[in-house]
Amino acid sequence: MKGTEPDEEQLVRRTAKGDRAAFEELYRRTSPWLAVRLRRRCADEQIVAEVMQETYLAVWRAAGAFAGSAVGGSAVGWLWTIAARRLVDAFRRRARYAQPMPVAEAVVAPAAEDEALAGAVGDHVGDALRRLAPELRQVLQAMVLDGLTVRETAVLLGLPEGTVKTRARRARIAMREALS
């Protein structure tokens, strides 16, 4: 009977019509992985909780603006874009009040999203991604996977914009060399 369950895009569309049960199902399906992704970028549980709340409030309010597969997007991609931007906003708010931001510690095990990306793009590209230095992979992930701008990536990673640009260039060169 699983085949009759609505996918995330259908849940967003039903949420846009005020369907609370669809919204709750969307939250049930997406909140665990969203929390993990946010925790990988921020070790402060309070900020993660705030970003989660702001993200789902934005989803509830803006579900009608979701364009979805009509423009080549996905519901989970849309959701992550909202969350990533809310996290950048949280970093900016903290920076304004000059409170140091705890940074998530490096994870020894490969992240699920890294493995999924490597599997999705093929073995050769996946191998090249895994061989990138962690600081280059972080920048590439923020800018390519998460779709953040240089400025947003700089705020998210706590780096100067020039450093982000340099690392993005180095990552592109390393990927080009690895794939040639």
Side-chain angles (χ1 to χ4, degrees):
M1 194 118 208
K2 188 161 175 88
T4 62
E5 287 185 13
D7 64 15
E8 286 79 7
E9 184 167 338
Q10 292 167 329
L11 292 172
V12 171
R13 299 221 182 280
R14 286 176 36 198
T15 297
K17 296 175 183 171
D19 185 337
R20 194 170 190 82
F23 177 74
E24 290 170 2
E25 178 64 14
L26 181 68
Y27 178 84
R28 186 190 66 73
R29 287 187 196 178
T30 59
S31 63
W33 69 261
L34 183 61
V36 168
R37 284 189 85 174
L38 290 169
R39 284 186 191 110
R40 288 191 61 232
R41 288 160 177 80
C42 178
D44 188 325
E45 282 296 319
Q46 181 180 354
I47 290 175
V48 170
E50 288 171 12
V51 169
M52 291 282 292
Q53 183 175 9
E54 290 173 11
T55 298
Y56 285 100
L57 181 60
V59 167
W60 176 256
R61 290 179 175 164
F66 172 65
S69 58
V71 294
S74 71
V76 292
W78 179 68
L79 187 71
W80 172 246
T81 300
I82 292 170
R85 296 198 190 291
R86 294 297 186 276
L87 185 59
V88 168
D89 291 344
F91 285 150
R92 286 181 180 146
R93 282 193 302 270
R94 283 286 169 107
R96 243 182 270 143
Y97 298 110
Q99 296 176 357
M101 194 63 114
V103 177
E105 292 183 26
V107 179
V108 176
E113 63 193 358
D114 293 339
E115 289 179 349
L117 174 66
V121 297
D123 289 337
H124 195 57
V125 175
D127 289 342
L129 282 170
R130 282 188 288 278
R131 283 193 303 266
L132 277 180
E135 66 273 9
L136 300 181
R137 196 173 329 115
Q138 271 186 326
V139 169
L140 198 61
Q141 179 181 343
M143 294 179 73
V144 176
L145 287 181
D146 301 340
L148 300 179
T149 65
V150 170
R151 173 170 282 153
E152 290 167 337
T153 300
V155 171
L156 181 66
L157 299 176
L159 299 169
E161 286 183 42
T163 301
V164 169
K165 290 177 185 178
T166 301
R167 288 182 182 177
R169 182 175 180 277
R170 287 177 46 209
R172 284 192 299 273
I173 291 169
M175 289 296 290
R176 195 175 309 122
E177 287 174 358
L179 295 173
S180 61

